[in-house]
Structures are given as C-alpha cells and as structure tokens.
Amino acid sequence: MAFVLKVPTNNIQGRGNFTSLSGHGRWDRAISRKGRSVCPVVGMSSTPIISLEKPLKVAQNIAFPIMVSGCTGKMGKAVIEAAVSAGLHLVPLSFSSAEESGQTVRVAGKEIQVYGPSDRESILASTFEEYPDLVVVDYTVPAAVNDNAELYCKVGVPFVMGTTGGDRARLYKTVEDTKVYAVISPQMGKQVVAFLAAMEIMAEQFPGAFSGYSLQVMESHQASKLDTSGTAKNVISCFQKLGVSFEMDQIQMIRDPRQQIEMVGVPEEHLSGHAFHMYHLTSPDKTVSFEFQHNVCGRSIYAEGTVDATIFLAQKVRSKADKRIYDMIDVLREGNMR
C-alpha cells in the first residue's frame, strides 16, 4: 500500500523526478547510498505534472511603491520582475553588501541604484518620507536578516521578509516591540504553504497517527543554498507530532549538481534554482509506505507569492489592522490572491 501526494511542479516532464523513488529510480539509489533501504512503492496517482510558470495578471488599484532589498540576487530579481508585471511601482533603489555598493542594476527594464550598509538608514528614511506607502521586500542573505529587520523597524517601514535564516526569535521580537507591519515567511510559494497548512491540520487533529513509522527525508536545492530547507523542517515537525521519531540532522541534503541531475532528476537548466523534497514513511513491519513530495523548478512560484504577500500587507497597513505580524497562511486565508 502506498500513498503519493503530488504538488504541481513546473516543466519537469519526462525527467525522472521524485516519483522514481518508488523502488525503481534515481532517488532510490540515492537513499541506498546512504545505507538505508526503501520498500518498493507503487504510486496511486497518475496526475500529470503541470507548469507553475504562468503569466501574472495585472491587479487593479495596487500601484503602491515597493523596494526590493537584494536586487542583485536571483530571488530579488525575480520579485522585481513579478512586481513590475503586476503593476506595482518599483522604487529604483536597493540595499546590498559594501562590495556591491554603487552599482546600477538593470532589472525588468528598470535602472536600480544599489547602496551599501553605511548609507542604508539615511536612504531608507528619505525614501519612506517621499513614499509614505512604501513596502520593502527583503531577499538578501541569512546573516543580514536581523540587522535589516531592525533597520526597517527603526525607520517604521512595513516589510516582507522572504530571506531565510537569522535569529528568528529576535526577528519577531524586533517587530513586536516596534509594532511595524510585516509578513515573515521562509516559504513564499503559495501552493507549498497550502501543503504545509494541510500537514499542520493533520498533525493537530490526528496526533500519533504515524507512531512507529520510520521517516526518510531528502531535499535538493541549488548549491548556493547552504542551510537546510525551512520547509523541510516544518514538515518534519508535523510528522514528529504525528508520532514519528526523526531528528533534523537526519535530513539528506543534496547540493551537488551532478547528483541532482543523475539521482534526483533535476533538469539541468534549473540547477541554479529548484526545490525538490521527498518525505518517505515506512511502517514498522515494512508492509505499508507513504510518500509525500513537492518538486519546484525556478523561482516564479516564490516571486508570485511574494507579490501577493506585499499587496496583502499594503492593504493591512491602509486599513490600520490591529494585527501587525503575518505569515503566508494569513495571505492564503485572505482569499484575494491574483
């Protein structure tokens, strides 16, 4: 018996992705190399893989100003392209490292001036004065999360924090103490967040349902992603509540491009930007197995979700909502995404 839950992926057809784990393919070999065995699994779903690459619709009445910190990075650029496509007003400046300060970056037909750490506070304060409806989106690096959040809160600018890592407890406390509006989420992909929400509901309503089951987790991301996936950690936390014994250091992280092509089945053109996750559960007597997976190529799913989060936050600021800190679950529940 097996159960396969598939989250739609984009442009992965015919490349032997995670479904090959079912005892017959490359993910199976990847697991056996780690000295672990897997029961053969037969997937119960033949749902075709569909693309997440869809044109963004132009939303109405959302032409508020947006600034993207980290415009030199791939996610920053993807968000800028999505924001411009959606009709938001891009403020042509960004913050980055001292090494990149002074650069002019061209993204989505816009010239963006890059400023370093020494100029950030004065530039942001003057920009916020000029654009009082400004929302900042942060896609920088984990080491900058807390300093950047403290800057936004000091100036009083609402922000969407898409950057992972940093001291998350300190991040939330910074926002709570200053009462700045913020959306904070390590996962901006709306469909993946919906999957996470379903997992949390299952864990809450059926605690211990998988007691005694063993769990294997493999996640593959671009080589530049050095930390473990926050999404994987959240899913594992749900399985732990469901009775599974598993430690975070048991996650098998795949970062080598050759392994990603040969064992995982990542399309070569997406080695620089992908998220393939597999969660495999096996009963104590090895007669039952469950498999959960989501494969994402490219960054459009995250960029589109980030723009929705930014629009959501701007609306909360305008309505002077009592709640100040939000996540992508709040964005999903609002039900007005494009």
Side-chain angles (χ1 to χ4, degrees), residues 8-13 48-54 191 297 300:
T9 61
N10 62 253
N11 301 331
I12 320 175
Q13 297 173 346
I49 295 170
I50 61 176
S51 175
L52 286 172
E53 298 283 352
K54 60 182 181 181
Q191 293 81 4
C297 284
S300 64

Side-chain angles (χ1 to χ4, degrees), residues 61-62 64 133-135 158-160 179-183 308-336:
N61 301 319
I62 60 168
F64 59 89
D133 295 329
L134 178 69
V135 175
F159 67 94
V160 174
K179 301 188 183 303
V180 166
Y181 286 94
V183 172
D308 280 334
T310 307
I311 295 169
F312 166 91
L313 189 62
Q315 292 170 342
K316 293 302 177 185
V317 173
R318 287 173 182 170
S319 67
K320 298 181 180 180
D322 292 333
K323 184 176 178 180
R324 298 301 179 104
I325 303 177
Y326 301 90
D327 57 23
M328 282 300 290
I329 295 295
D330 295 307
V331 179
L332 285 169
R333 284 176 177 154
E334 196 78 1
N336 61 353

Side-chain angles (χ1 to χ4, degrees), residues 145-310:
V145 165
N146 294 109
D147 286 345
N148 287 355
E150 287 169 5
L151 170 66
Y152 308 144
C153 289
K154 182 177 181 180
V155 176
V157 183
F159 67 94
V160 174
M161 179 60 73
T163 311
T164 59
D167 185 332
R168 305 308 275 194
R170 177 181 157 197
L171 169 61
Y172 280 96
K173 188 176 187 308
T174 297
V175 181
E176 287 169 356
D177 289 347
T178 56
K179 301 188 183 303
V180 166
Y181 286 94
V183 172
I184 301 173
S185 176
Q187 172 57 258
M188 290 291 182
K190 294 176 290 187
Q191 293 81 4
V192 178
V193 171
F195 165 64
L196 284 172
M199 289 295 303
E200 289 173 0
I201 292 170
M202 182 167 66
E204 179 183 346
Q205 296 189 5
F206 310 112
F210 284 95
S211 293
Y213 275 67
S214 60
L215 174 66
Q216 293 168 284
V217 180
M218 300 182 74
E219 55 98 333
S220 174
H221 288 261
Q222 59 276 6
S224 61
K225 181 174 176 58
L226 303 179
D227 58 331
T228 305
S229 166
T231 300
K233 291 179 179 180
N234 288 339
V235 173
I236 290 166
S237 177
C238 291
F239 281 126
Q240 290 171 335
K241 294 174 184 176
L242 287 163
V244 176
S245 177
F246 189 91
E247 299 298 327
M248 295 299 176
D249 60 7
Q250 294 177 265
I251 299 173
Q252 298 182 38
M253 296 168 55
I254 308 296
R255 295 294 185 270
D256 179 71
R258 185 172 180 178
Q259 290 182 327
Q260 290 171 341
I261 293 174
E262 295 178 357
M263 296 191 302
V264 184
V266 178
E268 187 171 356
E269 63 270 25
H270 290 298
L271 288 175
S272 62
H274 70 276
F276 280 34
H277 289 207
M278 184 282 297
Y279 310 89
H280 188 89
L281 293 153
T282 306
S283 65
D285 63 0
K286 310 297 184 185
T287 62
V288 182
S289 63
F290 290 78
E291 193 172 298
F292 300 77
Q293 68 185 61
H294 61 84
N295 304 348
V296 175
C297 284
R299 295 176 174 82
S300 64
I301 183 176
Y302 311 116
E304 185 177 344
T306 301
V307 170
D308 280 334
T310 307

Side-chain angles (χ1 to χ4, degrees), residues 103-168:
Q103 293 185 18
T104 299
V105 179
R106 186 173 181 82
V107 185
K110 309 290 185 180
E111 298 285 343
I112 304 170
Q113 182 67 41
V114 180
Y115 293 91
S118 62
D119 301 315
R120 297 184 314 158
E121 186 173 342
S122 60
I123 293 295
L124 184 59
S126 61
T127 302
F128 192 37
E129 184 176 352
E130 182 179 357
Y131 301 101
D133 295 329
L134 178 69
V135 175
V136 174
V137 172
D138 191 291
Y139 272 107
T140 53
V141 294
V145 165
N146 294 109
D147 286 345
N148 287 355
E150 287 169 5
L151 170 66
Y152 308 144
C153 289
K154 182 177 181 180
V155 176
V157 183
F159 67 94
V160 174
M161 179 60 73
T163 311
T164 59
D167 185 332
R168 305 308 275 194

